[in-house]
């Protein structure tokens, strides 16, 4: 069983957007970054904006947890840049309620690989 878990988690490499675009560029033999990110003046990430909605109970829940003296951390599996996520945390009033944040786009591995959690805990 331990071997099966290790085999599974060893494949959990993080995939930042920059890596995905670089791989597509290599495979296609053409720079796709500009086309994907800025085609027709529309930023790729902007297409996701209407779909990013935090739970309505997030602010009251995190506020109550902090009132009890708990520190709040966020570990997100993502290939998007951290600034993109930070924008939505700010927009929805969550940024000041989360003490520490980490995004797998800045790590070698993603959840549930133990290294993702070790990275978060080390911060």
């Amino acid at each position: 069983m331990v071997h099966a878990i290790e085999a599974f988690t060893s494949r959990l490499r993080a995939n930042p957007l920059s890596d995905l675009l670089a791989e597509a560029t290599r495979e296609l033999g053409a720079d796709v970054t500009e086309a994907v990110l800025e085609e027709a003046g529309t930023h790729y990430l902007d297409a996701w904006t209407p779909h990013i909605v935090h739970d309505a109970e997030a602010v009251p829940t995190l506020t109550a947890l902090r009132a009890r003296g708990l520190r709040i951390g966020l570990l997100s599996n993502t290939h998007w840049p951290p600034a993109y996520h930070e924008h939505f945390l700010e927009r929805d009033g969550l940024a000041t309620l989360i003490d520490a944040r980490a995004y797998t786009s800045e790590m070698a591995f993603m959840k549930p690989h133990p290294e993702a959690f070790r990275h978060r805990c080390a911060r």
Side-chain angles (χ1 to χ4, degrees):
M1 179 67 157
V2 171
H3 179 68
I5 292 170
E6 289 173 356
F8 171 73
T9 59
S10 69
R11 295 186 306 252
L12 296 174
R13 294 247 173 232
N15 292 306
L17 183 56
S18 59
D19 289 355
L20 296 173
L21 293 173
E23 182 178 340
T25 295
R26 279 191 304 277
E27 288 185 21
L28 296 172
D31 187 356
V32 300
T33 303
E34 186 174 335
V36 170
L37 294 180
E38 299 176 11
E39 183 176 299
T42 302
H43 195 281
Y44 159 76
L45 296 175
D46 291 343
W48 289 98
T49 298
H51 307 287
I52 299 174
V53 179
H54 292 105
D55 189 294
E57 294 299 314
V59 169
T61 300
L62 295 178
T63 300
L65 291 171
R66 289 175 64 85
R68 293 181 182 180
L70 296 174
R71 295 189 62 213
I72 308 298
L74 168 72
L75 172 58
S76 178
N77 273 354
T78 182
H79 65 270
W80 296 331
Y84 184 69
H85 294 282
E86 294 294 323
H87 164 77
F88 295 104
L89 293 174
E90 290 285 341
R91 178 195 72 184
D92 296 342
L94 295 167
T96 60
L97 299 173
I98 301 171
D99 299 298
R101 298 180 281 282
Y103 303 99
T104 58
S105 61
E106 299 182 306
M107 300 177 201
F109 294 96
M110 61 186 211
K111 298 180 295 185
H113 194 282
E115 285 304 313
F117 293 97
R118 286 185 191 111
H119 176 86
R120 173 66 262 141
C121 289
R123 292 175 104 191

